[in-house]
Amino acid sequence: MTRKEPALRLQQIVKTFPGVRALDGVDFEVLPGEVHALLGENGAGKSTLMKVLAGMYQPNEGQIYIAGEEVTMTTPLDAKNQGVVLIHQELSLVPEMTAAENIYLGELPRKSFGRVDWKTLHARCDEILSRLKCRFSSDTVVAGLSIANQQMVEIARALTVDARVVIFDEPTASLTDAEKVVLFDIINDLKAQGVGIVYISHRMDEIFTLSDRITVLRDGSYRGTLVTAETDEDEVTRLMIGRSLDLSRNIKTPELGDVVLEVRGLSCAPSFSDVSFALRAGEVVGFYGLVGAGRTELAETLFGLRRPDGGTILIDGAEVATTSPQDAIARGISLVPENRKEQGLVLTMNCRDNMTLPQVGDLTAGPFVSSGAEIAIFDQYRDRLAIKTPSWRQLVGYLSGGNQQKIVIGKWLSMQPRVLIVDEPTRGIDVGSKAEIHNLLRELAAQGYAVIVISSEMPEVLHVSDRIIAMYHGKITREFSAAEVSEDALVQAISGLGNGTAA
Ligand SMILES: Nc1ncnc2c1ncn2[C@@H]1O[C@H](COP(=O)(O)OP(=O)(O)OP(=O)(O)O)[C@@H](O)[C@H]1O
Ligand SMILES: [Mg+2]
């Protein structure tokens, strides 16, 4: 086989930020019609490398070649003109504008006298959206779309370009399984047309299903490129984090304490109905189900973000009405929400202040916030969660996506709530840190806290939970103890087929 000219090649790329050497001489190439996965821990430099490729960052050193020609790309438009399109990890849409306006941002089709040709615009956009099997029309304002649909708009934008290389930076983090299937079809279509694809994800299953080759970065350095068919997860993980992963649970299940939280016949139409369960101090209960099963809405109801329309919530045996998050926090219930945009990070504030924000009241010594105590809390969780930042002074907006997520988790863990609810806690988190977060959750339980983990990842639920509650269409279908659960039974329970009682 003659080797194809790479669609794109990066050579010895160096990129530094104040206090951070984000890329330290990285080589990377994409062949036409290849899916090339880029892997590495949170903060390894993946997004930075792709932003160099897409003309958003200027490298300090190194060369970029497109179809064999050396190029300089000083703006995203340069990159686009060269046929390089980046679909961002953090959504970059203008929320006040419609899907169509976002898809053709800056390049709206025009009639004579410069007037926008709305008819053509919407016809083109509706066609792309239907190719993506989207069920909303292109004149929908983006702010009104779900995160998954916003992601689809980002993808639609990329499809308007005659692309040579399309980069997907963690595209599936907020997609449902059905939407993922559509995305993978699109990727395979692009591939068949000879487009080179860069695919970034922390989900090994996706990497191994989709990619032809895998390049691994570690701490800004190039660690190697492997042919997917000739390697396995263990080898890739070792390249990525320098060791194999120990997935055994190393924290024992403690004696269970009293019931802390009890829910009886709780309903909140149309999301869920007649939900009953009890949670004891010292246990981790996993809520497993498909996206849309009602788990997030249940969590939001417990946290006072939604009003139930039936049923009761009891804390320590006494009925309570949590009408606001402040109220819930005061009663010892905390929620780490699934959507990063709602997690209350202030991007223009530093790491320490973001982490200790909810506790400022407690740490106040007289009129002053005790800075030492705050830094101590930050240091503790930085070490435990392996948060990558040059110092606590760094603004959160400059951290990598996964490290921002870790700050949020640290923030809620450090409050040591009695009941901690985490919704998709490890989305966008690398495999090594994932294991550490699971251990932290188990450790919290061992200290007597009660933990609810909502997750759509079966291995995660199986790994952390003492008990698993399966939900389907807003109802609890089955409950399993960790000892009795099996993958098959779980799959049945979340598809409404549990116990032979087909829905
Ligand atoms: N604009 C910036 N200013 C300062 N530091 C930055 C900036 N962008 C990235 N960094 C730093 O560069 C390093 C690499 O970040 P990058 O976003 O490329 O990581 P990543 O591999 O994409 O991680 P993740 O899996 O968490 O998304 C990190 O230490 C990050 O904090
Ligand atoms: Mg990233």
Side-chain angles (χ1 to χ4, degrees):
M1 191 183 93
T2 53
R3 192 176 149 78
K4 286 185 235 170
E5 177 79 53
L8 188 150
R9 190 158 66 86
L10 295 173
Q11 195 173 303
Q12 290 298 305
I13 301 290
V14 174
K15 177 69 192 167
T16 59
F17 298 109
V20 182
R21 200 168 173 85
L23 297 172
D24 193 9
V26 173
D27 295 334
F28 184 71
E29 63 164 31
V30 194
L31 301 176
E34 165 187 55
V35 178
H36 198 139
L38 188 57
L39 260 172
E41 289 179 293
N42 297 127
K46 304 178 297 293
S47 295
T48 305
L49 187 67
M50 293 305 112
K51 286 178 185 167
V52 166
L53 240 177
M56 295 172 66
Y57 289 158
Q58 295 308 300
N60 303 71
E61 288 171 40
Q63 294 83 41
I64 303 176
Y65 299 88
I66 292 188
E69 298 273 330
E70 183 167 357
V71 295
T72 351
M73 296 194 285
T74 45
T75 65
L77 194 59
D78 282 350
K80 207 168 170 185
N81 290 337
Q82 296 279 0
V84 179
V85 198
L86 169 61
I87 297 165
H88 288 268
Q89 180 173 17
E90 310 300 337
L91 297 177
S92 61
L93 303 173
V94 185
E96 298 78 16
M97 299 205 306
T98 64
E101 287 165 322
N102 270 285
I103 292 172
Y104 278 99
L105 194 63
E107 293 163 306
L108 297 174
R110 298 202 182 257
K111 296 197 276 206
S112 47
F113 306 115
R115 267 177 302 172
V116 174
D117 182 354
W118 294 108
K119 221 173 130 196
T120 308
L121 174 69
H122 285 289
R124 278 196 213 161
C125 291
D126 283 329
E127 194 218 303
I128 299 173
L129 289 176
S130 74
R131 200 174 141 202
L132 288 168
K133 301 202 172 59
C134 291
R135 288 204 204 91
F136 55 91
S137 97
S138 63
D139 55 12
T140 316
V141 173
V142 160
L145 294 174
S146 69
I147 297 293
N149 281 333
Q150 294 187 22
Q151 181 79 54
M152 286 305 194
V153 173
E154 286 261 355
I155 294 169
R157 187 156 68 179
L159 297 181
T160 64
V161 180
D162 192 12
R164 204 193 297 263
V165 173
V166 181
I167 305 157
F168 293 88
D169 195 348
E170 290 188 49
T172 56
S174 54
L175 300 188
T176 64
D177 288 340
E179 288 161 337
K180 274 185 212 172
V181 171
V182 175
L183 175 69
F184 292 175
D185 280 349
I186 297 280
I187 289 179
N188 284 323
D189 274 359
L190 289 171
K191 184 177 156 149
Q193 292 162 26
V195 176
I197 312 281
V198 184
Y199 193 83
I200 301 179
S201 171
H202 290 290
R203 304 210 43 175
M204 290 285 189
D205 52 341
E206 293 177 1
I207 302 265
F208 276 85
T209 324
L210 273 181
S211 74
D212 300 296
R213 288 194 294 168
I214 301 173
T215 287
V216 178
L217 297 184
R218 184 162 167 217
D219 271 341
S221 319
Y222 173 80
R223 304 302 300 207
T225 300
L226 305 163
V227 174
T228 310
E230 294 165 7
T231 182
D232 56 22
E233 285 192 23
D234 193 49
E235 183 180 24
V236 172
T237 307
R238 265 184 287 123
L239 263 188
M240 230 175 106
I241 65 178
R243 60 186 158 90
S244 292
L245 262 191
D246 175 14
L247 286 178
S248 59
R249 257 201 218 180
N250 51 16
I251 290 150
K252 284 210 196 65
T253 307
E255 298 275 301
L256 289 189
D258 295 334
V259 170
V260 197
L261 172 73
E262 191 181 347
V263 168
R264 292 186 194 151
L266 200 66
S267 300
C268 184
S271 306
F272 62 88
S273 62
D274 200 20
V275 166
S276 303
F277 68 92
L279 187 65
R280 289 177 180 276
E283 70 176 343
V284 179
V285 174
F287 275 76
Y288 185 61
L290 299 171
V291 174
R295 298 162 304 157
T296 294
E297 291 80 2
L298 173 62
E300 289 175 351
T301 309
L302 296 175
F303 191 55
L305 283 166
R306 288 172 188 260
R307 287 292 181 89
D309 47 31
T312 44
I313 302 173
L314 299 97
I315 294 180
D316 298 325
E319 193 173 329
V320 296
T322 43
T323 52
S324 69
Q326 287 76 7
D327 202 24
I329 291 170
R331 295 174 199 279
I333 301 180
S334 288
L335 168 68
V336 182
E338 63 174 331
N339 173 4
R340 202 175 290 154
K341 291 227 162 98
E342 292 167 3
Q343 289 172 340
L345 278 182
V346 187
L347 297 180
T348 52
M349 250 166 58
N350 69 39
C351 294
R352 177 200 66 187
D353 292 348
N354 266 287
M355 196 180 283
T356 53
L357 201 57
Q359 307 182 67
V360 168
D362 296 341
L363 298 174
T364 308
F368 302 105
V369 174
S370 148
S371 170
E374 285 190 308
I375 294 172
I377 291 178
F378 173 75
D379 283 350
Q380 182 190 347
Y381 286 93
R382 180 202 54 210
D383 293 349
R384 296 247 21 202
L385 297 170
I387 296 173
K388 199 172 169 211
T389 168
S391 95
W392 62 259
R393 291 186 182 81
Q394 183 71 305
L395 303 187
V396 160
Y398 291 145
L399 298 191
S400 77
N403 282 299
Q404 293 183 5
Q405 175 76 9
K406 290 179 185 180
I407 296 271
V408 175
I409 294 179
K411 169 168 108 177
W412 292 106
L413 289 182
S414 68
M415 288 173 69
Q416 309 211 315
R418 301 188 54 212
V419 177
L420 177 67
I421 308 171
V422 288
D423 196 352
E424 306 287 356
T426 61
R427 209 174 250 175
I429 299 271
D430 67 60
V431 286
S433 305
K434 230 178 196 175
E436 184 61 25
I437 287 172
H438 293 160
N439 283 340
L440 262 170
L441 292 174
R442 294 220 50 83
E443 204 176 283
L444 273 186
Q447 289 165 17
Y449 302 99
V451 181
I452 292 179
V453 177
I454 298 174
S455 176
S456 309
E457 281 189 48
M458 189 184 298
E460 173 156 275
V461 182
L462 289 174
H463 187 66
V464 296
S465 317
D466 299 306
R467 205 148 50 90
I468 298 172
I469 293 178
M471 282 184 77
Y472 170 72
H473 269 324
K475 293 222 155 74
I476 292 182
T477 49
R478 260 194 90 172
E479 217 184 288
F480 303 87
S481 71
E484 66 171 345
V485 70
S486 74
E487 292 192 12
D488 281 351
L490 254 187
V491 169
Q492 289 208 342
I494 64 154
S495 22
L497 304 168
N499 278 341
T501 50

